C-alpha cells in the first residue's frame, strides 16, 4: 500500500526502470518503518489502525472508493482515491490523506540521495 | 587555515569528562531516590535560565529532561537524524483534530536547541494587554527591560550584521517596493557560521541555546541532570508539592518499564514547555478551582506562501530568519481582526516536502524547482479577541498530552489576508509564480491572478497548511486567582512551593517569536525565587554569590 501511495504522491521522482523502482520502494518502506518506530505509542496506534483499514479490501473500498488492490491500481487511480479522501467532508478521511502524504514525503526525503535529486546541495 | 566542524570542541563531551552528574539513558540507570532543594522539570528556555540562577545561589538542583542529551558532535545537519531525536513526537506533534502541525523541541536545551534564533522582546502592546486584562501591573517595558537586557547579554542576542540570505532578502525587497517597513531580526549567536541548520541542532555551538550556556553552567556548579526521563506526576500532600515521580523513556517517549526515580524537593519548578507543563499538572490532579489549567493555550498559527524565482534561492543556506515585518500587526488594533507577523523560514527538503501542498505532478513540479523556491510565513497573533480563546490541553488515555485548538472564521479571515499579503510581497520582489500553501493552491503568474485565486480558496482545516512553532499559555500568569494558574511571582495560586517557568505562563500569545520573552520573564522570576529560597542575590552570567 505504501509503495502504491509513494508512486502516486511522488510521481516521477520515484525512478521508473522496474529493478531500480523496486529497490527504491523497498528502501522507502524500510525508512517508513524506521520513522514510524520514532513516533509515540499513541501515534503508532493510529497509524496501525489506518494501515489495517486501508489494507482490508472491503474497508478500503468503502473508505477510499478504490476498487482494486493498491498494488494493481494505476498511479492515477490511487491519486483519485487520495483526492477523494482530501476533499471529503469527513475529518477522518481528511486526516488520513494528510497522514499518508506526510509519512510518504517524510520517508522519501529522509534519504539524502532523494533530497539531492531535487537540487538540494546541503548540508553546507 | 580552514577550521573544520570536526575540529571544533564539544562543550558537552568536555563537561561529561569533567564529571558532570548526568544519569538516565546511556549515562546509567536512575537512582531510586534523590533529594534536592529544587527539582526543575525540563531543560529548555525557562528551565535553563532558572537552573543557572538557582545554582548561582548555591541551591542543590536536579533537572529532569524527557529527551536525550545531544551535542554538536551529534548534529550532522541531517533532517532524518534531527527530527526523531530532538523534536516532540518526532516532529509529528499535532493538535487534536490534526489540523495544525506543532514544532517543539524535546532534548536537553528544549526548543532552544532547535529554534531558528529569532529574538524579540515582548512587544509593548502585548504587555499593555496583560496589565489591563490579567491584573499584572508590573508587566511593562521599564520593569522587564533590565531582565531582557540581562538575557540578551548572557546569550549574545545582538543585531545580525551579515547580509540576509536570498530567501530573506526577497521578503526585504518585496516589502520595500510596497512601502512596507521591514527590519533585521536579532539573533542569539556567537561566531555564527551562517550555515542555515539551526533547526537541526547547531553543529558549531554558535547558537547560544540553553544546551551550551545555562545548562553547562548549572552542571559545572553541581546540578544533577536526569535525561530520557519523564516526570509522570507531582506528589501533592497538604497543599504542597513534596516531590515527583519520573520514569525512564525510550527514544519515542514510550516508558521503558525500567525502574523510576522519586525526587524529593523543597521546591519544584515546572518548565516542560506549554502543552507538557499543563499536562503534568493535569496528571498530578493539581488544584484548579477556576478551571484555568490547560486553557488559553496559543499557537501563533502559521500559514505560508511559496514563490518561484528565476534565480536560485537555496533557502537552506544561511541564517534562517533574519528579516521580518510587523506591518500587519502594527497597522490595526490588537483586539481587532487578527494581525500577523511575516518572516522567511529555512527550507530543508524533508520538512518542505511536508509543508508544501498537493500530490503527484502538482507536488513534484514544485519540488523539482526546490532550489528556486522562496517562502514567507505569517504568524497570527492569537489570544487578544473574544473569538480567539486559544486551545485546551487534555490528556489521552495513556496520560500523554494533546492540544485541542479549534479553528474558526476569525482566524481563517486572518489567514486569507496573510496569504494575500505574502503573495503581493513575493510578486513585488520579482516572483515568477506564487503558490499559497493550500491543497487547492495553484501557481499564479501575477498578483492579480493570485489575489483572485486566494480570495476564492475555501479557508478550511486540512486544506490550509497550518503550522505552529510557538506554543504559549495553559498555565497563565495573573494577578488574581480566577484569571490564571500562577501568581505574578510564578508560583502556583494553590500550591505555594510549585513554580511555572516557561512559555505556558503567557496569558496570550506574544505576537513575536517567544524565546526572549521566556528568557526575560523567567530571569526575573528565578532571580526572585533564588533570593526567597537562599537569601542571596544572583545574576545571569555572574559568578555565584557566597552566603
Amino acid at each position: 500500500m505504501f509503495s502504491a501511495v509513494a508512486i502516486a504522491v511522488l510521481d516521477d521522482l520515484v525512478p521508473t526502470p522496474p529493478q531500480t523502482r523496486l529497490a527504491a520502494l523497498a528502501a522507502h518502506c524500510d525508512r517508513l518503518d524506521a520513522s514510524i518506530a520514532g513516533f509515540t505509542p499513541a501515534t503508532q496506534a493510529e497509524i496501525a489502525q489506518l494501515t489495517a483499514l486501508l489494507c482490508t479490501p472491503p474497508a478500503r473500498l468503502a473508505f477510499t472508493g478504490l476498487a482494486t488492490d493498491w498494488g494493481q491500481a494505476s498511479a492515477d487511480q490511487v491519486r483519485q482515491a487520495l483526492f477523494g479522501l482530501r476533499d471529503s467532508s469527513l475529518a477522518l478521511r481528511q486526516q488520513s490523506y494528510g497522514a499518508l502524504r506526510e509519512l510518504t514525503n517524510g520517508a522519501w526525503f529522509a534519504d539524502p540521495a532523494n533530497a539531492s535529486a531535487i537540487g538540494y546541495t546541503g548540508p553546507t | 587555515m580552514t577550521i573544520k566542524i570536526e575540529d571544533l570542541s564539544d562543550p558537552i563531551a568536555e563537561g561529561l569528562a569533567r564529571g558532570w552528574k548526568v544519569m538516565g539513558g546511556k549515562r546509567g540507570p536512575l537512582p531510586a531516590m534523590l533529594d534536592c532543594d529544587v527539582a526543575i522539570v525540563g531543560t529548555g528556555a525557562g528551565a535553563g535560565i532558572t537552573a543557572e540562577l538557582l545554582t548561582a545561589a548555591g541551591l542543590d538542583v536536579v533537572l529532569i529532561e524527557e529527551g536525550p542529551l545531544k551535542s554538536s558532535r551529534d548534529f550532522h545537519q541531517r533532517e532524518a537524524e534531527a527530527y526523531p531525536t530532538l523534536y516532540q513526537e518526532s516532529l509529528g506533534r499535532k493538535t487534536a483534530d490534526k489540523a495544525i502541525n506543532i514544532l517543539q523541541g524535546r532534548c536537553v536545551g528544549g526548543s532552544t536547541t532547535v529554534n531558528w534564533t529569532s529574538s524579540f522582546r515582548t512587544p509593548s502592546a502585548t504587555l499593555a494587554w496583560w496589565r489591563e486584562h490579567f491584573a499584572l501591573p508590573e508587566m511593562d517595558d521599564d520593569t522587564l527591560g533590565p531582565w531582557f537586557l540581562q538575557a540578551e547579554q548572557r546569550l549574545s542576542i545582538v543585531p545580525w550584521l551579515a547580509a540576509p540570505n536570498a530567501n530573506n532578502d526577497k521578503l526585504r525587497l518585496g516589502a520595500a517596493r510596497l512601502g512596507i517597513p521591514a527590519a533585521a531580526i536579532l539573533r542569539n549567536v556567537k561566531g555564527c557560521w551562517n550555515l542555515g541548520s539551526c533547526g537541526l541542532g547547531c553543529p558549531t555551538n554558535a547558537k547560544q541555546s540553553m544546551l551550551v550556556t545555562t545548562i553547562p553552567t548549572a552542571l559545572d556548579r553541581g546540578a544533577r541532570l536526569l535525561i530520557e526521563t519523564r516526570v509522570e506526576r507531582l506528589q501533592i500532600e497538604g497543599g504542597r508539592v513534596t516531590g515527583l515521580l519520573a520514569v525512564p523513556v525510550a527514544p519515542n517517549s514510550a516508558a521503558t518499564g525500567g525502574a523510576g526515580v522519586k525526587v524529593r524537593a523543597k521546591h519544584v519548578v515546572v518548565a516542560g514547555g506549554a502543552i507538557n507543563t499543563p499536562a503534568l499538572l493535569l496528571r498530578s490532579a493539581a488544584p484548579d478551582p477556576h478551571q484555568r489549567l490547560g486553557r488559553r493555550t496559543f499557537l501563533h498559527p502559521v500559514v505560508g506562501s511559496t514563490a518561484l524565482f528565476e534565480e536560485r534561492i537555496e533557502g537552506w543556506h544561511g541564517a534562517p530568519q533574519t528579516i521580518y515585518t510587523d506591518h500587519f500587526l502594527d497597522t490595526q488594533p490588537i483586539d481587532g481582526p487578527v494581525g500577523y507577523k511575516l518572516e522567511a523560514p529555512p527550507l530543508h527538503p524533508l520538512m518542505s516536502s511536508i509543508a508544501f501542498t498537493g500530490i503527484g505532478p502538482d507536488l513534484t513540479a514544485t519540488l523539482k524547482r526546490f532550489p528556486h523556491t522562496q517562502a514567507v510565513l505569517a504568524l497570527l497573533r492569537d489570544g487578544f479577541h473574544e473569538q480567539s480563546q486559544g486551545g485546551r490541553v487534555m490528556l489521552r488515555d495513556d496520560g500523554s498530552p494533546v492540544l485541542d485548538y479549534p479553528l474558526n472564521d476569525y482566524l481563517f479571515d486572518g489567514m486569507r489576508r496573510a496569504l494575500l499579503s505574502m503573495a503581493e510581497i513575493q510578486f513585488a520582489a520579482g516572483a515568477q509564480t506564487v503558490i499559497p500553501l493550500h491543497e487547492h493552491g495553484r501557481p499564479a503568474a501575477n498578483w492579480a491572478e493570485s489575489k483572485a485565486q486566494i480570495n476564492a480558496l475555501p479557508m478550511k482545516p486540512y486544506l490550509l497548511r497550518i503550522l505552529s512553532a510557538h506554543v504559549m499559555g495553559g498555565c497563565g500568569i495573573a494577578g488574581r486567582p480566577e484569571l490564571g494558574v500562577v501568581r505574578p511571582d510564578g508560583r502556583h495560586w494553590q500550591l505555594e512551593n510549585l513554580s511555572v517557568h516557561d512559555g505556558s505562563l503567557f496569558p496570550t500569545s506574544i505576537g513575536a517569536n517567544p524565546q526572549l520573552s521566556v528568557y526575560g520573564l523567567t530571569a526575573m522570576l528565578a532571580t526572585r525565587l533564588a533570593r526567597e529560597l537562599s537569601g542571596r542575590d544572583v545574576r545571569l552570567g555572574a559568578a555565584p554569590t557566597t552566603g
Side-chain angles (χ1 to χ4, degrees):
Chain A
M1 187 269 290
F2 277 111
S3 290
V5 170
I7 294 167
V9 170
L10 294 159
D11 197 45
D12 61 354
L13 293 182
V14 183
T16 44
Q19 285 305 318
T20 326
R21 168 166 285 209
L22 273 179
L25 290 171
H28 171 70
C29 289
D30 288 346
R31 290 191 301 274
L32 202 55
D33 287 343
S35 73
I36 291 170
F39 288 123
T40 59
T43 302
Q44 286 176 352
E46 290 177 346
I47 294 170
Q49 284 170 5
L50 175 64
T51 309
L53 177 78
L54 294 176
C55 294
T56 308
R60 182 202 66 223
L61 176 61
F63 193 69
T64 70
L66 187 65
T68 48
D69 283 349
W70 293 98
Q72 307 303 316
S74 70
D76 267 335
Q77 286 173 318
V78 174
R79 271 196 290 274
Q80 288 313 312
L82 293 174
F83 286 139
L85 296 177
R86 180 188 73 179
D87 296 327
S88 166
S89 57
L90 189 71
L92 185 63
R93 286 203 177 93
Q94 296 172 296
Q95 292 163 351
S96 301
Y97 168 81
L100 291 172
R101 191 185 173 285
E102 194 168 317
L103 286 167
T104 298
N105 286 347
W108 187 257
F109 289 105
D111 181 352
N114 292 341
S116 299
I118 58 166
Y120 172 68
T121 57
T124 308
Chain B
M1 189 182 86
T2 308
I3 301 173
K4 293 181 183 165
I5 287 179
E6 303 84 73
D7 300 333
L8 295 173
S9 65
D10 181 330
I12 302 303
E14 290 168 3
L16 290 169
R18 275 199 303 279
W20 281 353
K21 290 173 244 172
V22 181
M23 292 161 271
K26 287 182 184 156
R27 302 297 307 173
L30 300 171
M33 176 86 81
L34 282 175
D35 285 287
C36 61
D37 293 326
V38 183
I40 301 176
V41 182
T43 59
I49 294 289
T50 300
E52 173 169 324
L53 289 165
L54 296 186
T55 53
L59 293 161
D60 180 21
V61 167
V62 171
L63 292 138
I64 305 119
E65 168 58 51
E66 182 176 4
L69 173 61
K70 297 288 182 182
S71 65
S72 52
R73 283 182 195 163
D74 303 310
F75 299 150
H76 303 120
Q77 307 182 71
R78 296 281 184 198
E79 292 180 279
E81 286 178 15
Y83 299 149
T85 51
L86 306 179
Y87 283 78
Q88 295 284 352
E89 305 184 31
S90 193
L91 201 73
R93 182 166 267 189
K94 290 175 168 56
T95 49
D97 65 1
K98 304 193 183 344
I100 306 179
N101 283 31
I102 298 172
L103 280 60
Q104 269 184 307
R106 190 218 50 175
C107 54
V108 175
S111 293
T112 74
T113 299
V114 292
N115 74 16
W116 300 338
T117 74
S118 306
S119 303
F120 297 88
R121 292 187 178 193
T122 314
S124 301
T126 299
L127 295 175
W129 187 266
W130 294 359
R131 291 196 299 277
E132 186 181 341
H133 295 270
F134 293 92
L136 295 164
E138 213 183 9
M139 295 287 181
D140 60 36
D141 293 338
D142 287 345
T143 306
L144 288 176
W147 300 106
F148 291 135
L149 182 63
Q150 214 180 109
E152 288 158 0
Q153 290 171 338
R154 175 69 179 96
L155 304 173
S156 303
I157 293 173
V158 288
W160 174 243
L161 299 176
N165 69 5
N167 197 44
N168 279 271
D169 200 49
K170 295 300 180 191
L171 172 57
R172 183 200 60 76
L173 180 65
R177 286 180 175 163
L178 294 172
I180 293 170
I185 299 177
L186 273 62
R187 308 180 62 223
N188 57 319
V189 294
K190 193 191 276 183
C192 174
W193 288 30
N194 210 12
L195 296 174
S197 296
C198 308
L200 310 176
C202 180
T204 66
N205 297 308
K207 175 163 61 174
Q208 298 298 287
S209 66
M210 299 300 99
L211 176 65
V212 301
T213 57
T214 56
I215 298 291
T217 298
L219 292 172
D220 277 334
R221 291 173 181 160
R224 287 165 285 176
L225 169 62
L226 311 183
I227 57 170
E228 298 172 48
T229 303
R230 178 173 58 238
V231 179
E232 295 286 27
R233 284 183 75 83
L234 305 173
Q235 292 184 295
I236 300 171
E237 291 167 29
R240 291 183 64 80
V241 176
T242 56
L244 53 83
L245 299 170
V247 298
V249 296
N252 73 337
S253 289
T256 64
V261 55
K262 181 175 182 179
V263 180
R264 292 189 300 204
K266 299 184 184 95
H267 196 97
V268 173
V269 176
V270 185
I275 296 184
N276 289 356
T277 286
L280 173 58
L281 270 62
L282 285 168
R283 285 199 298 271
S284 309
D288 182 26
H290 302 287
Q291 304 284 299
R292 302 319 306 152
L293 180 57
R295 318 283 176 121
R296 291 188 62 81
T297 298
F298 299 102
L299 289 175
H300 284 159
V302 166
V303 291
S305 181
T306 56
L308 286 176
F309 283 81
E310 186 178 5
E311 67 269 36
R312 290 175 73 86
I313 301 292
E314 300 191 352
W316 56 89
H317 275 313
Q321 282 183 156
T322 56
I323 300 291
Y324 75 104
T325 174
D326 278 349
H327 177 74
F328 304 98
L329 290 174
D330 294 343
T331 49
Q332 53 202 73
I334 197 167
D335 56 350
V338 66
Y340 42 89
K341 185 184 198 78
L342 300 186
E343 296 175 336
L347 294 173
H348 293 276
L350 195 162
M351 198 190 290
S352 297
S353 72
I354 290 172
F356 295 175
T357 52
I359 56 170
D362 293 337
L363 172 67
T364 56
T366 310
L367 289 175
K368 286 173 187 170
R369 301 211 52 204
F370 189 57
H372 295 262
T373 302
Q374 191 268 347
V376 179
L377 53 76
L379 298 74
L380 273 64
R381 177 173 59 185
D382 50 346
F384 296 86
H385 189 278
E386 62 174 13
Q387 293 298 313
S388 183
Q389 296 295 322
R392 180 180 170 192
V393 175
M394 301 186 301
L395 299 176
R396 294 190 185 94
D397 291 344
D398 66 357
S400 63
V402 62
L403 173 65
D404 179 33
Y405 187 100
L407 293 158
N408 60 17
D409 287 343
Y410 174 79
L411 294 169
F412 288 135
D413 164 67
M415 291 174 183
R416 191 189 303 278
R417 284 184 285 110
L419 291 176
L420 289 166
S421 302
M422 293 188 283
E424 186 174 16
I425 287 171
Q426 288 168 313
F427 280 116
Q432 293 176 319
T433 57
V434 169
I435 307 180
L437 292 182
H438 184 292
E439 281 291 334
H440 293 170
R442 296 287 175 272
N446 56 59
W447 166 225
E449 191 185 315
S450 185
K451 190 174 177 180
Q453 179 190 147
I454 293 166
N455 278 325
L457 285 173
M459 293 289 114
K460 289 186 174 171
Y462 309 114
L463 294 179
L464 268 166
R465 183 73 69 246
I466 310 173
L467 311 168
S468 167
H470 305 156
V471 193
M472 300 155 285
C475 289
I477 188 169
R480 295 203 304 270
E482 68 274 20
L483 295 178
V485 174
V486 303
R487 309 184 319 205
D489 62 0
R491 292 184 189 233
H492 192 275
W493 272 105
Q494 288 79 33
L495 299 166
E496 173 76 16
N497 66 331
L498 173 67
S499 296
V500 174
H501 285 194
D502 63 18
S504 58
L505 288 165
F506 302 144
T508 62
S509 78
I510 294 292
N513 308 57
Q515 68 163 337
L516 181 51
S517 292
V518 180
Y519 299 143
L521 181 56
T522 59
M524 180 175 84
L525 300 179
T527 301
R528 293 172 179 177
L529 181 64
R531 189 185 304 133
E532 288 161 11
L533 296 179
S534 73
R536 297 179 190 178
D537 288 317
V538 294
R539 194 181 158 76
L540 281 176
T545 51
T546 50

